[in-house]
Amino acid sequence: MRKSREEAAQTRRRIVEAASTRFREHGIEATGLADLMAAAGMTHGGFYKHFDSKDQVVMESVTLALEEMVDGLARTLKAAPGRRGLNMAIGEYLSTDHCNDAAGGCPLAALAGDMARGSDRVRRAATLGFQKMVDLIAGALDGLTPAAAHKEALGMISTMIGAVTTARAIDDPELSAAILRQARKQLIR
Amino acid sequence: MRKSREEAAQTRRRIVEAASTRFREHGIEATGLADLMAAAGMTHGGFYKHFDSKDQVVMESVTLALEEMVDGLARTLKAAPGRRGLNMAIGEYLSTDHCNDAAGGCPLAALAGDMARGSDRVRRAATLGFQKMVDLIAGALDGLTPAAAHKEALGMISTMIGAVTTARAIDDPELSAAILRQARKQLIR
DNA sequence: TGTACATCAGTGAACGCGCGTTCACTGATGTAC
DNA sequence: TGTACATCAGTGAACGCGCGTTCACTGATGTAC
């Protein structure tokens, strides 16, 4: 039942994609390899034809999720230059939609805890993605020196991640909405 | 080997205390009941003499950790009234010490992801603790209407939780320090 | 281009292990008289 | 206050289960001539 190189590469991609959504939705520890492989339409035995270990797919799926998030951010920022695009991006990040879609949303908001306890390479992937996010947002802050924009971006991202993370943890939808609303009010200028 | 009522109550307390630190340090899923019981100085078989299930000790340990955090916050706020005490509290929360001490720190910063995926009663406990934290901080914001102070507090707490959460997830100590520094700069007035 | 053989993606059963939970048992504590 | 009995906190072995990982096998794909 050997598959062609192209098919195998597609399978690998499907596994990483399934991992990136399922880890964000259910957490890394709680998601088993059999879950992942079933979500990718296969039995779990074939996993090790593509990856050395669970940790490798964790790292690759974190990298993929961060890339997708950063790409989406870049697209929004490009649609309108400077502050206007930034305001749109902030509005999207702090939307109820994003809050309710952990599986498809920012991996830092969904998995920061798991990342802090993760392997070296998982934390490395998280750091690289975070830095790209900071640079993009700093780049959209006009009228500041690069150093000042970088600092400002760090503060904005802390608020964004904290607001979504906290809004998801609590069980009171009105309070969650108030958290997101206040963060938008603070960051959108 | 029956123990006196008082000893049994102490044992129960020790288990919840061990749980509250170990869950914050290693995550809820990754911490087994045998770990907890060993940390409390017992074998794992006795666990069910005190709790119905793992989820119950999760909920109680989240409640305890939040209470301790809220008590510490209240103590700091009481030490100096109004803005001065609030600035001290913010400085403590956003300190490198707190960032490096997940096991003894704010459970929302350490476990927000796990809480979002947790049981109803765990999320209820998280919400109650969060509300107490918001009320305390809002109470220290003078010169604002209660409603405005409440909103302001939500924004501040989002930034605080996000900064610590993110600073812990990444592997670059200088960048982590910059995140905390910027959050302090934004919030301390 | 066609044939023969090596490769290897995917299957499905199996591995040891630690998980949450249960249970029979022990013996000190608590209760009733 | 002393005695007899019931209670139950804690032990340690065991339960079934799902985990990450390994492996023998299959048969289509890729390679070499």
Side-chain angles (χ1 to χ4, degrees):
Chain A
M1 302 196 177
R2 182 181 186 181
K3 295 296 160 79
S4 73
R5 277 198 267 269
E6 197 186 342
E7 279 177 305
Q10 276 173 8
T11 299
R12 194 183 201 284
R13 228 172 292 129
R14 257 187 299 126
I15 297 171
V16 177
E17 278 163 17
S20 90
T21 60
R22 294 184 84 85
F23 287 150
R24 278 177 282 178
E25 189 171 3
H26 299 114
I28 293 172
E29 293 268 355
T31 305
L33 297 185
D35 290 358
L36 288 191
M37 296 301 281
M42 292 167 57
T43 56
H44 65 283
F47 177 84
Y48 292 89
K49 284 276 147 50
H50 296 285
F51 305 96
D52 290 341
S53 64
K54 181 178 181 180
D55 191 61
Q56 192 186 345
V57 82
V58 170
M59 181 236 124
E60 292 197 27
S61 69
V62 164
T63 299
L64 175 68
L66 281 163
E67 271 170 10
E68 284 176 357
M69 207 253 313
V70 164
D71 285 354
L73 183 58
R75 226 175 296 122
T76 303
L77 291 176
K78 212 174 163 185
R83 249 299 164 183
R84 275 194 40 242
L86 184 54
N87 285 343
M88 284 175 54
I90 294 167
E92 281 172 18
Y93 197 102
L94 293 170
S95 67
T96 315
D97 277 1
H98 181 207
C99 187
N100 292 336
D101 179 31
C106 175
L108 284 160
L111 296 176
D114 294 40
M115 286 171 180
R117 302 171 214 119
S119 69
D120 287 352
R121 57 181 175 177
V122 168
R123 300 184 73 213
R124 195 87 276 278
T127 308
L128 292 174
F130 176 75
Q131 282 167 332
K132 278 183 209 156
M133 189 177 170
V134 174
D135 289 342
L136 272 176
I137 289 188
L141 287 165
D142 21 45
L144 292 175
T145 65
H150 187 265
K151 285 181 197 167
E152 184 74 15
L154 290 181
M156 295 178 73
I157 295 173
S158 293
T159 304
M160 287 159 69
I161 292 175
V164 172
T165 292
T166 310
R168 282 179 184 155
I170 64 179
D171 69 357
D172 176 343
E174 281 191 41
L175 187 53
S176 294
I179 291 168
L180 297 174
R181 205 182 311 122
Q182 175 63 23
R184 287 196 301 270
K185 194 179 140 200
Q186 282 180 201
L187 299 183
I188 295 177
R189 297 246 158 279
Chain B
M1 301 199 174
R2 182 180 187 183
K3 295 296 160 79
S4 72
R5 277 198 266 270
E6 198 186 341
E7 279 176 305
Q10 276 172 9
T11 299
R12 194 182 200 286
R13 230 173 290 128
R14 257 187 299 126
I15 296 170
V16 177
E17 279 163 17
S20 90
T21 60
R22 295 185 84 86
F23 287 150
R24 279 178 281 178
E25 189 171 3
H26 300 114
I28 292 172
E29 293 267 355
T31 305
L33 297 185
D35 290 358
L36 288 190
M37 296 302 281
M42 291 168 57
T43 57
H44 65 284
F47 177 85
Y48 292 89
K49 283 276 147 51
H50 296 285
F51 305 97
D52 290 341
S53 64
K54 180 178 182 181
D55 191 61
Q56 192 187 344
V57 81
V58 170
M59 180 237 124
E60 292 197 26
S61 68
V62 164
T63 299
L64 176 68
L66 282 163
E67 270 170 11
E68 284 176 355
M69 208 255 310
V70 164
D71 286 354
L73 182 58
R75 226 174 297 121
T76 303
L77 291 176
K78 211 175 165 186
R83 249 299 164 184
R84 275 194 41 240
L86 183 55
N87 285 343
M88 284 176 52
I90 295 166
E92 282 172 19
Y93 196 101
L94 293 170
S95 68
T96 316
D97 277 2
H98 181 207
C99 187
N100 292 335
D101 179 31
C106 175
L108 284 160
L111 296 176
D114 294 40
M115 287 170 180
R117 301 172 216 117
S119 70
D120 287 352
R121 55 180 175 177
V122 168
R123 302 185 72 214
R124 197 84 277 279
T127 307
L128 292 175
F130 176 74
Q131 283 168 332
K132 279 183 209 154
M133 189 178 170
V134 174
D135 289 342
L136 272 175
I137 290 190
L141 286 165
D142 20 44
L144 293 175
T145 65
H150 187 264
K151 285 180 196 167
E152 185 74 16
L154 290 181
M156 296 179 73
I157 295 173
S158 294
T159 304
M160 288 160 68
I161 292 175
V164 171
T165 291
T166 311
R168 283 179 184 155
I170 64 180
D171 70 358
D172 177 341
E174 282 191 41
L175 188 53
S176 293
I179 291 167
L180 297 175
R181 205 183 310 123
Q182 175 63 24
R184 287 196 300 269
K185 193 179 140 200
Q186 281 180 201
L187 299 183
I188 295 178
R189 297 249 157 275

